[in-house]
């Protein structure tokens, strides 16, 4: 049965509907154009905030680089002075000066959230996520797989690795393979020489050398 055949009593009429007020913003209805303009305005504000954060981060990076450049210049001076012939006391002083410059450079990096790590001596499991092995050494001096040498340090920024360390891994020497004993070869069996049968008498030779007679035989 089609819907046209249903009685009028079951059909909804206008009396079944109720009017609902339209939401108002600041006492007036919000037109689609005004709503779209508000969305675009908020988007522009978010982008401006993001640009400001990026600009601030870039400014901090530049300041860090400039300070490191100054310290590298100081380090170059100290290295050149360390190459000059000095007394033992002066050499110790130069070492302290170089260490002081190195520590200042690391402090500048840590202030910018940058950390330098040396993985030497750590096990393979400890450096699995921030070191790349470039070579392996096998030696009895290693009890487990550890970092034997560090070619390049790892660099972290805010706790996340941004540059993997380049390392030489050490590993225990493989156990020597025991030498196999030579296989035993059985000696060839030798046949015993046959004994002449005393019942069989040798036949005289058909030809005898001149001057010799055959030996007498028993009859």
């Amino acid at each position: 049965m089609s819907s046209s055949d249903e009685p009028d009593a079951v059909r909804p009429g206008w009396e079944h509907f109720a009017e609902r007020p339209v939401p108002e913003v600041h006492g007036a209805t919000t037109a689609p154009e005004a709503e779209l303009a508000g969305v675009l305005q908020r988007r522009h504000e978010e982008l401006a905030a993001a640009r400001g954060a990026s600009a601030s981060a870039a400014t901090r990076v530049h300041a860090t680089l400039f300070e490191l450049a100054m310290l590298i210049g100081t380090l170059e001076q100290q290295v050149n002075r360390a190459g000059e012939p000095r007394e033992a006391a002066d050499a110790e002083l130069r070492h302290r000066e170089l260490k002081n410059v190195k520590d200042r450079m690391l402090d500048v990096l840590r202030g910018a959230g940058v950390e330098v790590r040396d993985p030497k001596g750590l096990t393979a499991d400890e450096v699995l996520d921030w070191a790349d092995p470039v070579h392996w050494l096998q030696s009895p001096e290693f009890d487990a797989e550890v970092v034997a040498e560090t070619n390049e340090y790892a660099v972290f920024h805010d706790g996340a690795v941004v540059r993997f360390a380049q390392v030489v891994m050490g590993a225990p020497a493989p156990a020597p393979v025991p030498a196999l004993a030579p296989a035993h070869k059985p000696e060839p069996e030798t046949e015993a020489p046959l004994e002449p049968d005393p019942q069989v008498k040798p036949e005289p030779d058909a030809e005898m050398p001149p001057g010799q007679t055959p030996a007498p035989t028993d009859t």
Side-chain angles (χ1 to χ4, degrees), residues 4-174:
S4 61
D5 297 334
E6 295 179 358
D8 296 340
V10 298
R11 295 181 182 177
W14 288 109
E15 66 275 7
H16 294 89
F17 297 91
E19 293 185 2
R20 297 176 58 185
V22 178
E24 295 183 359
V25 179
H26 303 297
T29 58
T30 304
E33 295 82 358
E35 185 175 358
L36 179 59
V39 172
L40 292 176
Q41 179 63 30
R42 289 192 297 272
R43 181 58 177 167
H44 285 309
E45 293 174 356
E46 293 173 356
L47 291 176
R51 293 192 188 98
S54 299
S56 299
T59 300
R60 291 193 300 270
V61 170
H62 290 162
T64 301
L65 292 176
F66 298 153
E67 191 167 357
L68 283 177
M70 179 272 297
L71 291 174
I72 290 174
T74 304
L75 180 63
E76 183 180 14
Q77 291 179 344
Q78 301 294 342
V79 170
N80 293 335
R81 293 174 59 186
E84 301 174 359
R86 299 285 179 176
E87 299 293 335
D90 290 339
E92 184 177 355
L93 176 61
R94 296 291 176 266
H95 177 267
R96 289 200 304 269
E97 291 176 344
L98 290 172
K99 184 177 183 301
N100 179 54
V101 175
K102 182 264 297 181
D103 292 339
R104 290 173 60 189
M105 295 176 71
L106 292 179
D107 288 340
V108 170
L109 291 175
R110 279 191 288 266
V114 179
E115 181 185 2
V116 180
R117 296 186 190 176
D118 181 6
K120 185 175 181 179
L122 300 180
T123 64
D125 292 338
E126 293 176 305
V127 300
L128 180 64
D129 298 330
W130 53 282
D132 282 335
V134 296
H135 189 64
W136 283 84
L137 294 176
Q138 290 184 334
S139 173
E141 65 178 301
F142 301 113
D143 297 330
E145 294 181 354
V146 299
V147 178
E149 299 176 9
T150 301
N151 292 347
E152 294 181 4
Y153 286 9
V155 180
F156 289 75
H157 181 245
D158 291 339
V161 60
V162 294
R163 185 178 178 86
F164 277 59
Q166 305 294 315
V167 300
V168 177
M169 297 295 298

